[in-house]
Amino acid sequence: MPWVEPEPGPSPEQKPKLTKQDSATGSEWYQKSEESESEGNQPPLEPLASPRPPETPGPPALERDDAPLPEGDDASPRPSVLDDAPLPEEETPEPRAICRHRHRCHTDCLEAPLSRAFQWLGWQVGAHPWIFLLAPLMLTAALGTGFLYLPEEEEEDLEKQYTPVGGPAKAERRFVQGHFTTNDSYRFSASRRSTEANFASLLVVSYSDSLLDPATFAEVSKLDGAVQDLRVARENGSQIQYQQVCARYRALCVRPNPLLYAWQVDKTLNLSSISFPIYNHGGHPLYLTGFFGGRILGGSLGMGHLLLRAKAMRLLYYLKTEDPEDSVQSKQWLTHFLEQFTNITNTLALKKIEVVHFTSLSRQLEFQATSMTVIPVFHLAYVLIILFAVTSCFRFDCIRNKMCVAAFGVISAFLAVVSGFGLLLHIGVPFVIIVANSPFLILGVGVDDMFIMISAWHKTSLADDIPERMSNVYSKVAVSITITTITNILAFYTGVMSSFRSVQCFCIYTGTTLLFCYFYSITCFGAFMALDGKREVVCLRWLKKADAKWSSFKKFCCFPFGSVPDEHGTDVHPMNLFFRDRFGPFLTSSESKYFVVFIYVLYIISSIYGCFHVQEGLDLRNLASDDSYITPYFNVEEDYFSDYGPRVMVIVTKKVDYWNEDVRQKLENCIKIFEKNVYVDKNLTEFWLDAYVQYLKGNSQDPNDKNTFMNNIPDFLSNFPNFQHDINISSSNEIISSRGFIQTTNVSSSTKKKIMLFQ
């Protein structure tokens, strides 16, 4: 084995004692050893092996390794000459070479200063616990006044909070609102609105195979009459009737179902000769798409196919929305409708049909109702967490018992919620309803930090004073709770960059409250733990008082299953013993390793499989409670009315020469491209330009002449008023923009809708 030659040094009689000042290398070595021992509780390094001195000529001082040893009583012990010759190979420790000018690489650049800072903080908390306890309580009381600004009756705008900020759909809607007008008091058209109108919807499902018979239509007609007869009593004594708030087309309320209205006018209407999707009644086409579901179609008839059977029917009651006062009254009527609907169905005693209902207010009302159900669960969660924490920290040893400390740890998390929410409400950050779920996360993180600090406290000695014990606790937990808190806070604050306002608000509230939770854990909770440490000292002194009369009684009451704890020892939780003595050896066995790897491989495979089967979109049924009335409504709609989707606007955003035949051909080709989409029904396309050209040709007018084209538009719109809001003509008699409509089909899922948009 090679030897490392020592560097020349002073003679033994002149060699001084090795100190930090005299040896930079030695000082550095022992200084690092002490820091390592203080920071990581590592044992000091072993002393270095003495290097072999240089060989000098002279008689050998040690026999060969293979020389025989003397035996018997006269055998003298073998002399120790380690300074002159090496030990036998099997006994000689391996020497270590030291590079005196190489500095060790530090990997605790964050841990060491953080541990020292927390060590100082722990000392201060242990020395002045009341300051660190009362200051957070006073801060919580001050910030808690922010709950005075908590909105109570303000309606949450679901579109604003749960749709992307700056999305292209919003920009397109602003363009539509700026270039096309609507009038729900005289010429209402649901497909031409850029925003959702106030409405009530009823889905009627027949108990028989089809509802296309007079008896079923008569029962549906009774239901329709009962709905339209609803009246809302106001505080001033007046009433809000359906006829006051209904959206109108000319002088009449928009009919909830065009075929039902035709039958109500003419009871002799033959329901077995109805064509679908367009029915020509008295020279007026009735569009039945979206009004009848569960259909069975026959052969061609008129502008569609013969409607043989229909299992379900939709009734749509559109209400005024544009005028703010009308919108308020419409919402009051809808609220009354929701309250009275069950009474209506019970009074009518419907025998042939089943009815489910939904309104434009239902999403928001049910979403808020579901969120409010979280509050009782929130209370229950706090109670369960307190019970769990108290049970986990219970000891039969009355000195080490931390039940009160555990309960205060949960209270500390609650104080963090009050402070964080109060601060943000003071600032004016919007409080969306999903923020009510944030305290569950705060509670979990706060209790986790609490258990870490209590575990570190149990590893301290009862003989040490409180500041020293707190200093040791804080130095041990500094890295764990700080790093986890920083990562959690950064994760939530990163969510502020989300394009959804609701997610932004949720992340701001949660991240800020986590910061308060961390602050209260190292101040308020630590101070309470220090005060409980003083209780330990007082209790231990009381137990050790020399009192023979009460000694047995004290031990029985405070330690029914054991002896008085060693004040110089530490407490080991039974769970720690289980993981150390049972679970650890079990997990490190060869069989367990193979099993864990096998389970992990299955987990990875299932995760990859799940990633390829993620369903995009939001199912509104998941936002409501299981017993909500909107769940059966969406079930029926999915079963019977999912084949026809929304009507899509196709907008010409620039000025073009519509009288130019080439321009019209380009527009026609553009429409045909949309119609080639598999999710579009080309037979239901509606475009004013096609109808206008046919109108001009029918009147022997030249559509290629500019003056003829522009001057005949008013007459065309008077004969076809449906197109009145599809053409934007400026004061200089120029068409600034125009629009048409295409009908989508079979887009029941969000994935299909996305495919339709990007095809």
Side-chain angles (χ1 to χ4, degrees):
M1 181 178 296
W3 290 90
V4 179
E5 296 297 334
E7 294 181 0
S11 60
E13 59 272 15
Q14 296 177 352
K15 185 176 180 179
K17 183 178 180 181
L18 185 63
T19 62
K20 296 181 180 179
Q21 291 78 11
D22 297 329
S23 175
T25 305
S27 173
E28 179 185 356
W29 177 263
Y30 285 105
Q31 183 179 1
K32 293 177 181 178
S33 176
E34 292 173 1
E35 289 177 357
S36 176
E37 182 178 0
S38 63
E39 295 171 7
N41 295 326
Q42 300 293 332
L45 298 174
E46 297 291 339
L48 297 176
S50 301
R52 179 181 179 182
E55 296 182 0
T56 56
L62 186 66
E63 298 87 5
R64 290 168 51 91
D65 290 345
D66 55 355
L69 295 176
E71 299 179 358
D73 297 338
D74 297 336
S76 59
R78 189 171 183 172
S80 176
V81 286
L82 293 176
D83 294 335
D84 299 327
L87 292 173
E89 184 173 352
E90 63 273 15
E91 298 179 2
T92 305
E94 182 180 352
R96 288 172 287 182
I98 302 176
C99 180
R100 299 180 180 274
H101 301 287
R102 179 178 297 175
H103 296 282
R104 191 173 61 179
C105 179
H106 291 275
T107 59
D108 58 349
C109 56
L110 178 62
E111 179 180 358
L114 190 62
S115 179
R116 287 193 295 269
F118 266 74
Q119 193 172 10
W120 174 86
L121 178 61
W123 185 279
Q124 298 299 324
V125 173
H128 312 286
W130 286 109
I131 296 178
F132 288 91
L133 177 64
L134 296 179
L137 293 178
M138 296 174 62
L139 179 62
T140 301
L143 295 178
T145 57
F147 279 88
L148 297 175
Y149 301 98
L150 183 67
E152 295 182 359
E153 299 182 357
E154 181 180 352
E155 292 185 359
E156 185 175 313
D157 189 346
L158 295 182
E159 180 182 326
K160 179 181 178 181
Q161 297 295 340
Y162 300 96
T163 57
V165 177
K170 293 183 178 180
E172 293 167 359
R173 183 176 61 184
R174 287 193 296 268
F175 179 87
V176 172
Q177 292 174 340
H179 290 76
F180 301 100
T181 61
T182 56
N183 187 350
D184 58 14
S185 297
Y186 183 73
R187 205 174 295 281
F188 176 83
S189 175
S191 61
R192 287 168 170 78
R193 288 192 55 85
S194 58
T195 57
E196 185 181 60
N198 294 325
F199 71 91
S201 176
L202 300 181
L203 298 184
V204 178
V205 182
S206 175
Y207 290 128
S208 60
D209 294 336
S210 177
L211 48 69
L212 296 177
D213 63 86
T216 305
F217 262 55
E219 199 165 85
V220 175
S221 181
K222 288 170 52 180
L223 174 65
D224 173 52
V227 171
Q228 296 194 31
D229 287 340
L230 283 177
R231 302 179 181 182
V232 182
R234 309 179 72 177
E235 295 180 355
N236 57 7
S238 62
Q239 293 182 337
I240 301 176
Q241 300 180 6
Y242 172 75
Q243 286 71 22
Q244 294 178 239
V245 295
C246 68
R248 294 179 177 273
Y249 187 81
R250 295 184 177 178
L252 300 176
C253 291
V254 176
R255 298 307 174 185
N257 187 293
L259 185 60
L260 176 65
Y261 175 69
W263 181 86
Q264 290 173 337
V265 173
D266 182 11
K267 297 293 180 63
T268 62
L269 180 66
N270 186 5
L271 297 177
S272 61
S273 61
I274 305 298
S275 61
F276 186 91
I278 302 176
Y279 173 59
N280 193 339
H281 177 64
H284 299 283
L286 301 180
Y287 291 89
L288 303 182
T289 55
F291 287 103
F292 288 91
R295 302 174 305 274
I296 297 180
L297 301 179
S300 298
L301 177 65
M303 302 177 67
H305 293 80
L306 179 63
L307 183 61
L308 299 178
R309 293 180 183 177
K311 180 71 174 178
M313 175 194 297
R314 188 197 302 268
L315 303 180
L316 271 173
Y317 300 88
Y318 285 107
L319 308 179
K320 296 178 182 178
T321 309
E322 293 179 355
D323 185 73
E325 184 177 355
D326 290 339
S327 181
V328 171
Q329 293 184 1
S330 298
K331 292 179 180 179
Q332 292 177 353
W333 187 90
L334 289 175
T335 303
H336 184 67
F337 166 81
L338 292 174
E339 295 172 351
Q340 298 296 321
F341 180 77
T342 303
N343 295 334
I344 292 175
T345 55
N346 293 337
T347 303
L348 294 177
L350 303 174
K351 297 180 180 180
K352 294 182 176 293
I353 57 175
E354 177 187 5
V355 185
V356 291
H357 64 292
F358 183 80
T359 71
S360 55
L361 302 180
S362 296
R363 279 187 294 265
Q364 181 168 344
L365 294 177
E366 289 301 297
F367 185 50
Q368 292 176 351
T370 303
S371 301
M372 294 305 296
T373 59
V374 173
I375 296 180
V377 179
F378 180 66
H379 296 159
L380 178 61
Y382 261 96
V383 172
L384 293 178
I385 290 295
I386 290 177
L387 292 177
F388 172 76
V390 168
T391 304
S392 301
C393 296
F394 173 75
R395 300 289 190 280
F396 290 108
D397 174 358
C398 68
I399 295 179
R400 298 282 191 177
N401 194 354
K402 293 297 177 185
M403 294 174 59
C404 295
V405 177
F408 189 81
V410 181
I411 296 175
S412 176
F414 173 75
L415 297 178
V417 173
V418 174
S419 299
F421 282 26
L423 174 63
L424 295 175
L425 288 172
H426 269 297
I427 296 175
V429 179
F431 185 89
V432 296
I433 197 65
I434 63 172
V435 175
N437 300 303
S438 173
F440 290 103
L441 301 175
I442 311 303
L443 183 61
V445 174
V447 171
D448 180 53
D449 292 345
M450 174 198 74
F451 280 123
I452 293 175
M453 296 182 69
I454 292 178
S455 177
W457 175 268
H458 283 313
K459 295 178 182 179
T460 60
S461 174
L462 287 170
D464 298 335
D465 57 3
I466 300 301
E468 183 176 355
R469 297 179 70 183
M470 292 298 299
S471 178
N472 292 335
V473 168
Y474 274 51
S475 64
K476 293 176 181 177
V477 305
V479 176
S480 60
I481 67 175
T482 301
I483 298 301
T484 55
T485 300
I486 291 176
T487 54
N488 289 335
I489 292 176
L490 289 179
F492 280 104
Y493 279 148
T494 303
V496 177
M497 295 184 292
S498 171
S499 58
F500 294 88
R501 295 187 186 275
S502 58
V503 177
Q504 293 175 357
C505 295
F506 177 82
C507 291
I508 292 175
Y509 272 90
T510 306
T512 304
T513 309
L514 282 174
L515 185 61
F516 274 99
C517 185
Y518 170 73
F519 174 69
Y520 285 175
S521 294
I522 62 178
T523 55
C524 185
F525 176 71
F528 191 86
M529 193 163 60
L531 294 175
D532 187 75
K534 294 183 178 181
R535 178 199 61 81
E536 291 182 357
V537 175
V538 174
C539 187
L540 185 62
R541 290 176 181 174
W542 178 74
L543 289 171
K544 287 189 173 183
K545 283 185 178 180
D547 191 348
K549 180 179 179 181
W550 298 99
S551 178
S552 300
F553 176 75
K554 291 178 181 180
K555 290 184 178 181
F556 176 77
C557 292
C558 297
F559 309 99
F561 296 98
S563 58
V564 178
D566 181 12
E567 60 181 298
H568 297 283
T570 59
D571 178 54
V572 180
H573 196 276
M575 189 61 68
N576 294 338
L577 296 178
F578 167 76
F579 280 98
R580 185 190 67 186
D581 301 335
R582 302 292 182 184
F583 188 75
F586 167 76
L587 194 61
T588 54
S589 64
S590 300
E591 295 81 0
S592 298
K593 292 178 182 178
Y594 287 119
F595 179 74
V596 170
V597 172
F598 175 72
I599 294 297
Y600 184 73
V601 171
L602 290 181
Y603 166 73
I604 293 296
I605 294 174
S606 62
S607 300
I608 296 174
Y609 175 81
C611 290
F612 285 100
H613 292 78
V614 174
Q615 296 292 330
E616 298 183 29
L618 178 63
D619 191 344
L620 295 178
R621 286 170 288 194
N622 296 329
L623 299 179
S625 57
D626 295 336
D627 58 347
S628 172
Y629 63 87
I630 73 172
T631 301
Y633 177 88
F634 284 114
N635 291 337
V636 173
E637 187 176 50
E638 182 179 13
D639 293 338
Y640 299 109
F641 296 94
S642 59
D643 48 356
Y644 281 96
R647 290 180 66 80
V648 178
M649 293 185 190
V650 180
I651 304 174
V652 182
T653 59
K654 298 180 180 179
K655 298 178 182 179
V656 296
D657 297 334
Y658 293 93
W659 53 87
N660 189 315
E661 188 174 0
D662 293 336
V663 173
R664 292 200 305 271
Q665 186 63 39
K666 291 180 180 180
L667 292 176
E668 184 178 352
N669 293 336
C670 179
I671 295 294
K672 288 182 178 180
I673 292 175
F674 285 108
E675 292 176 344
K676 290 180 181 179
N677 194 307
V678 295
Y679 297 106
V680 174
D681 187 347
K682 64 180 180 180
N683 296 321
L684 296 177
T685 300
E686 186 180 5
F687 192 30
W688 70 273
L689 186 59
D690 294 337
Y692 184 46
V693 171
Q694 294 179 7
Y695 173 79
L696 291 177
K697 291 181 178 180
N699 293 331
S700 301
Q701 301 285 337
D702 183 11
N704 299 321
D705 180 70
K706 178 180 178 181
N707 294 329
T708 302
F709 189 94
M710 296 301 301
N711 294 334
N712 283 277
I713 290 180
D715 294 335
F716 167 74
L717 295 180
S718 63
N719 289 284
F720 298 91
N722 289 338
F723 298 117
Q724 184 172 356
H725 298 291
D726 295 343
I727 310 173
N728 183 9
I729 302 177
S730 65
S731 57
S732 58
N733 200 28
E734 292 181 328
I735 301 177
I736 299 176
S737 58
S738 66
R739 63 182 174 182
F741 299 88
I742 57 176
Q743 178 64 55
T744 60
T745 60
N746 300 316
V747 287
S748 56
S749 66
S750 299
T751 304
K752 292 182 178 180
K753 291 178 182 178
K754 184 180 71 173
I755 296 174
M756 176 196 70
L757 291 175
F758 291 99
Q759 271 192 346

